[in-house]
Amino acid sequence: MNIHEYQAKELLARNGVNVPSGKACKSIEEAQTAAQALFDAGQSMLVIKSQIHAGGRGKGTFKSGFQGGVHLCKSVDETVETAKAMLGEVLVTKQTGPEGREVKTLLVASAEKIVKELYLAVLLDRNTSKPIVMASTEGGMDIEEVAEKSPEKIVKETIDPAMGMMPYQARKIAAALNLPSSLIGQATKLLMGVYKTFWSCDASMVEINPLCIVENVDETQGIAAVDAKISLDDNALYRHKDILEMRDLAEEAPLEIEAGKFDLNYIKLDGNIACLVNGAGLAMATMDIIKHYGGDPANFLDVGGGASREQVTAAFKIILSDPNVKGILVNIFGGIMQCDVIAEGVVSAAKETNLSIPLVVRLEGNNVEIGKKILNESGLELISGDSMADAAKKIVAVV
Amino acid sequence: MAILVTPETKVLVQGITGSFGGRHAQLSLEYGSQIVAGVTPGKGGQTFEDKVPVFDTVAQAVAETGTTTSAVFVPPPFAADAILEGVDAGLDLVVCITEGIPVNDMVKVKRALEGSKTRLIGPNCPGIVTPGEGEQSSGGCRIGIAPGYIHKKGNIGVVSRSGTLTYEAVWQLTCRGVGQSTCVGIGGDPVNGTSHLDVIKMFNDDPDTHGIIMIGEIGGSAEEEAAAWIRDNCKKPVAGFIAGTTAPPGRRMGHAGAIVSGGKGTAEAKIEAFREAGIQVAQTPSEMADVLLKVM
C-alpha cells in the first residue's frame, strides 16, 4: 500500500524525524487557515504541494492548463489563489499516465531555505534478507540514474535486524555524506528515526528525496525531510490499524479494489485478451505466452489455488467490465481440485455473465477428459485448448 | 535417494487441526506419506483422523515420535513463531506453506536461522514431493499442497518459485513417461529460507537426479546467482523458464517477491543469465519438459 506525502511525513514525525511544519488541506478555507498560521509563526515563504500517489508532481501539468503541481507562495492571498487552481483539478505527471489524478488534498508547508539536497532511503536488500540504508550526496535526482552513472556516490549500510540500526551506523552514513560536524548529532537522530519508521511501520520502503540541509531563521543549519515517500508491506497491515486508515481508495484502480473483495489478484493491463489463471507464476506465464503468439494480454488475474465457481464468476464480471477485452483465455491447472469441478464452475460462470465474446479454456490435471466433455456439451461457444501453447494460439487467432 | 526428503521421512504438521492444514495432512496420508504427528497449541492429546497424535508443542512431538521434518500451515500472524519453534526443537527441515507472512517477520526468522542446523523451505510455497513407487507415485513423501498424483518416480529434479508452474512442469514430464527425483517449491516471497541455488547444489550432488528444470520469475536476483554457479559447477543438464516477460515494472504480480523495481529483476536479465550459463531456455511454459529432454 502506498500513502501520501503528508501521511508519510506524519509517520516520520512520530518517530522523531524533523519535517517542515505543514498541514494537509482538503478545502480552500483549510488552505487559507493553514497559510495564515504559518505566516503568523514567522514564515516568509510557503510551499503548496499536490497530494497524489505519483512522482513528478512539480513538473506536472493540470488538465486545466495550470502548470506545476508544487508552488511557492509569499502571501495568504497567493496561497488561496494557487490552491484554487489546484484543488479538485486533475494533475498529469510522467508517472500518472495521460488520465492523470484528481488532487483532493494539498499539503501547505513552510518552504525551507535549502543549502544542499541529499538522498536517503531504507528498504529490504533481497540479497542479504536484511534492511539496507542507502544514502547519496546526489539529492533530488532519480536514484536509479545515480546508481547507473556514479554508483560510488551511493553509500550503503546493512542493518542487522537482531540489533536494529545502531547510532554508529547513522554517524558513519552522516560522515560519508560529508555533513559538517555540527550536524552529525541532528543527522544521527534523523537517520535513527527514519529507520525506526521503516521497521516499526512494516514499510517496504521509506524514501526521503530530498533530505535537506536547511538554513534556519537564525542562520544556523539544520537537517530536514523535505519530501517523503513510504510504501507499506500489505501482509503486515493487519497490525497497523492506524496506517490502514490512511489508505486512499481514489488512488487505486476500481477493478483492482473490486477483485480484492473476492480474494482475486487482478492487475489491469492495456491489451485485449483477458486471462483467468490459478496461481501467480502460471498467471504471469499465461500473459507471456499470449504475447509470444502475437496477442496482447488485458490483465494479470490469479484466482488462487482452488478456482471455485464463485471466484470464477466474480473474475468473469471483473474481466468483462474492461471495455478493451475482446476475448478470454482461461488457463487452470486442476491439481487438488479436479478438472470436472472446475469445468462446471467455468460453464456456470459463463452462463451467469451472459458471456458473448470468444472464450478459450485450457484445463490440465486430474479428470481432464470429463472436464473437456462438460465444456464441449455446455452449449456455450467455447473453444477448448489442449496445451498452454495451443490455447494461446487459439485465443490470439479469434481476437 | 532424492533430496531433502525420502518416503521414510517422518513428518509433523503444524496447524493440523485447521481446515487448510487438516485437508492437506489427509491428502498426504492418502498419498502414503509418513505423517506421524500434528501440533496445535491447546489441542494436545487429540488424535487427527484416528491415527495421528496431536501435541501442544513441537518439542513434545519430536520427543514422542522422532519426527525430523515439519510442514507449517499456521496463519500468517503466527507463522514466524511456528517456524522458530521447529528450529528450536532441532528439526532438520521446516517447510512453510503459509502465504502472506509480513516481510519483517521473515527477516527476523532468516536472521535467527543463521548458524542453526534447520533448513527452511518457503514460505508461500507449494512444498516438496519425492514421488513414491506406488500407483500414481503414491508411497512417496508429500509435504505441502501439491497434487500427489501428477508425479512419477524418476530422475529429474524440479525447482520453482511458483506452485502451479511446478505442477505444469511435473505433469509435462509425467505425461512423457519421465519421472522426478524430487520437486521443490521454494516460494514466491522476497525473503525465503532456501534459494534456487541451494536446491540446485543438492540436485547436483544427488546421484539419482540426472537432469534439472529450474523455473524462475521476475524480482530479485536469485535466478542469476544460480545460473552463475551452474555455469561453473553443474554437472547435469538444466532447462529453465522465467515467468513475467510481460509484467509491467513496479507492479507486484501476485507473489510478494514478483516485482521489477528500479529496473532490477527483469525477465530479460534472468533469461540472458540462463543463456550465458548454458541453461536451455524454454520460450513458453508449454516446452519446459521437451527442452530438457532434448539435452538429456
Side-chain angles (χ1 to χ4, degrees):
Chain A
M1 185 181 92
N2 292 322
I3 55 176
H4 290 294
E5 174 195 359
Y6 76 91
Q7 295 165 323
K9 284 180 170 170
E10 191 184 314
L11 293 177
L12 287 162
R14 274 187 219 169
N15 288 291
V17 176
N18 184 31
V19 298
S21 52
K23 199 170 180 334
C25 304
K26 293 185 188 297
S27 68
I28 305 298
E29 294 70 32
E30 281 178 19
Q32 184 171 15
T33 311
Q36 189 66 59
L38 285 165
F39 284 119
D40 287 351
Q43 288 297 330
S44 54
M45 181 89 86
L46 302 187
V47 63
I48 178 161
K49 304 175 88 173
S50 303
Q51 299 295 291
I52 56 170
H53 289 185
R57 293 170 296 171
K59 288 179 182 148
T61 305
F62 286 90
K63 283 195 171 167
S64 61
F66 187 69
Q67 290 289 324
V70 176
H71 287 271
L72 290 169
C73 301
K74 287 190 187 122
S75 68
V76 174
D77 286 346
E78 195 185 355
T79 309
V80 168
E81 284 316 303
T82 313
K84 279 180 183 164
M86 294 162 82
L87 206 57
E89 299 295 330
V90 176
L91 178 62
V92 179
T93 80
K94 61 177 181 181
Q95 286 184 12
T96 60
E99 66 276 18
R101 302 272 174 83
E102 186 185 344
V103 176
K104 291 177 175 163
T105 308
L106 296 170
L107 174 61
V108 177
S110 61
E112 302 294 328
K113 198 168 170 194
I114 294 166
V115 179
K116 183 162 177 41
E117 294 191 338
L118 308 162
Y119 174 92
L120 175 68
V122 187
L123 66 160
L124 171 74
D125 177 6
R126 288 177 64 161
N127 291 326
T128 59
S129 296
K130 287 173 182 163
I132 189 166
V133 180
M134 286 184 17
S136 168
T137 50
E138 306 301 292
M141 283 178 59
D142 183 1
I143 194 68
E144 284 144 28
E145 215 178 296
V146 179
E148 202 171 299
K149 287 183 187 152
S150 40
E152 74 285 353
K153 286 185 175 159
I154 298 178
V155 186
K156 292 180 182 173
E157 185 75 17
T158 300
I159 309 300
D160 183 341
M163 300 293 289
M165 190 187 212
M166 298 302 288
Y168 81 84
Q169 294 182 296
R171 294 195 297 271
K172 234 169 103 182
I173 296 164
L177 290 175
N178 301 320
L179 294 182
S181 300
S182 58
L183 281 178
I184 295 285
Q186 276 191 57
T188 302
K189 179 170 181 262
L190 182 136
L191 283 158
M192 298 291 284
V194 171
Y195 181 78
K196 195 176 159 208
T197 308
F198 169 82
W199 188 261
S200 68
C201 297
D202 280 300
S204 34
M205 184 168 80
V206 177
E207 189 180 47
I208 316 286
N209 190 22
L211 170 71
C212 293
I213 300 176
V214 296
E215 190 178 298
N216 299 322
V217 198
D218 60 3
E219 293 188 356
T220 59
Q221 286 191 348
I223 189 156
V226 168
D227 198 354
K229 188 177 158 190
I230 295 182
S231 44
L232 300 137
D233 175 9
D234 291 343
N235 290 344
L237 286 172
Y238 73 88
R239 57 189 177 202
H240 299 288
K241 298 265 182 315
D242 55 331
I243 298 175
L244 197 51
E245 281 171 15
M246 294 178 172
R247 185 174 178 189
D248 184 352
L249 290 174
E251 291 283 341
E252 297 176 27
L255 286 179
E256 290 173 20
I257 298 169
E258 183 66 16
K261 292 178 190 162
F262 296 93
D263 274 332
L264 301 169
N265 212 319
Y266 171 88
I267 294 170
K268 193 184 171 312
L269 303 171
D270 298 330
N272 56 7
I273 298 176
C275 33
L276 188 166
V277 190
N278 65 338
L282 193 61
M284 267 187 274
T286 304
M287 289 162 38
D288 297 346
I289 202 168
I290 289 171
K291 190 89 177 177
H292 181 80
Y293 286 111
D296 215 352
N299 63 277
F300 167 92
L301 202 167
D302 172 13
V303 293
S308 70
R309 201 188 103 187
E310 292 72 27
Q311 277 189 311
V312 175
T313 308
F316 271 152
K317 286 181 182 163
I318 287 161
I319 283 172
L320 293 171
S321 54
D322 173 358
N324 293 335
V325 169
K326 299 286 181 278
I328 303 176
L329 171 56
V330 173
N331 182 18
I332 306 278
F333 194 97
I336 298 303
M337 194 178 251
Q338 317 232 329
C339 288
D340 50 334
V341 181
I342 292 165
E344 276 167 7
V346 170
V347 168
S348 89
K351 284 182 177 164
E352 195 181 324
T353 51
N354 293 320
L355 198 68
S356 60
I357 54 174
L359 170 67
V360 174
V361 182
R362 181 268 179 157
L363 293 176
E364 193 55 272
N366 214 9
N367 285 353
V368 64
E369 292 311 320
I370 311 175
K372 281 185 183 167
K373 194 159 173 263
I374 292 169
L375 294 176
N376 292 335
E377 292 171 2
S378 64
L380 291 169
E381 282 186 43
L382 56 78
I383 305 160
S384 189
D386 287 327
S387 66
M388 271 178 83
D390 181 52
K393 282 181 204 162
K394 282 176 174 165
I395 192 70
V396 171
V398 293
V399 168
Chain B
M1 249 305 284
I3 65 164
L4 294 163
V5 292
T6 68
E8 290 74 39
T9 302
K10 289 182 178 175
V11 180
L12 149 76
V13 175
Q14 289 175 260
I16 198 167
T17 56
S19 63
F20 189 40
R23 175 147 179 257
H24 285 284
Q26 177 63 34
L27 287 167
S28 287
L29 283 167
E30 287 167 13
Y31 189 65
S33 304
Q34 309 296 313
I35 307 292
V36 299
V39 166
T40 300
K43 296 197 174 169
Q46 295 185 6
T47 308
F48 175 77
E49 295 290 317
D50 294 328
K51 46 190 154 201
V52 181
V54 178
F55 300 90
D56 287 315
T57 69
V58 175
Q60 287 169 344
V62 169
E64 295 289 323
T65 67
T67 176
T68 57
T69 297
S70 155
V72 176
F73 283 93
V74 170
F78 318 107
D81 182 51
I83 295 168
L84 292 180
E85 186 181 358
V87 174
D88 177 68
L91 294 174
D92 294 332
L93 180 65
V94 173
V95 183
C96 183
I97 308 304
T98 310
E99 178 176 4
I101 303 175
V103 174
N104 281 359
D105 288 10
M106 284 313 303
V107 167
K108 285 195 273 189
V109 166
K110 186 99 179 176
R111 176 68 175 85
L113 281 169
E114 285 177 17
S116 93
K117 65 167 221 161
T118 308
R119 170 171 293 287
L120 171 69
I121 303 268
N124 188 16
C125 77
I128 309 175
V129 177
T130 290
E133 304 198 8
E135 196 183 331
Q136 290 188 331
S137 82
S138 63
C141 182
R142 170 189 183 268
I143 298 175
I145 58 174
Y149 70 88
I150 62 171
H151 297 82
K152 174 182 164 69
K153 189 174 163 59
N155 303 104
I156 304 299
V158 180
V159 55
S160 168
R161 281 207 250 172
S162 144
T164 39
L165 265 182
T166 311
Y167 311 159
E168 188 77 38
V170 168
W171 187 242
Q172 285 173 20
L173 289 167
T174 298
C175 288
R176 285 157 180 77
V178 179
Q180 306 89 40
S181 51
T182 302
C183 304
V184 187
I186 57 172
D189 275 5
V191 177
N192 58 11
T194 295
S195 67
H196 280 101
L197 177 55
D198 296 329
V199 180
I200 295 284
K201 284 180 179 172
M202 286 184 251
F203 280 140
N204 195 45
D205 290 339
D206 173 33
D208 286 347
T209 299
H210 301 164
I212 302 164
I213 293 182
M214 170 164 66
I215 304 165
E217 60 191 36
I218 53 164
S221 58
E223 290 84 354
E224 287 91 324
E225 280 157 29
W229 188 88
I230 287 168
R231 184 188 56 214
D232 300 331
N233 304 286
C234 193
K235 302 175 295 214
K236 299 171 184 180
V238 182
F241 175 73
I242 298 289
T245 310
T246 49
R251 298 301 310 265
R252 239 168 254 287
M253 307 305 282
H255 285 157
I259 181 166
V260 173
S261 54
K264 297 252 169 63
T266 63
E268 290 73 16
K270 289 170 192 289
I271 290 168
E272 186 53 35
F274 275 17
R275 290 227 165 89
E276 277 177 16
I279 297 167
Q280 304 299 312
V281 179
Q283 293 288 323
T284 75
S286 280
E287 301 158 27
M288 291 186 286
D290 288 336
V291 166
L292 178 68
L293 295 178
K294 237 179 255 174
V295 292
M296 286 294 289

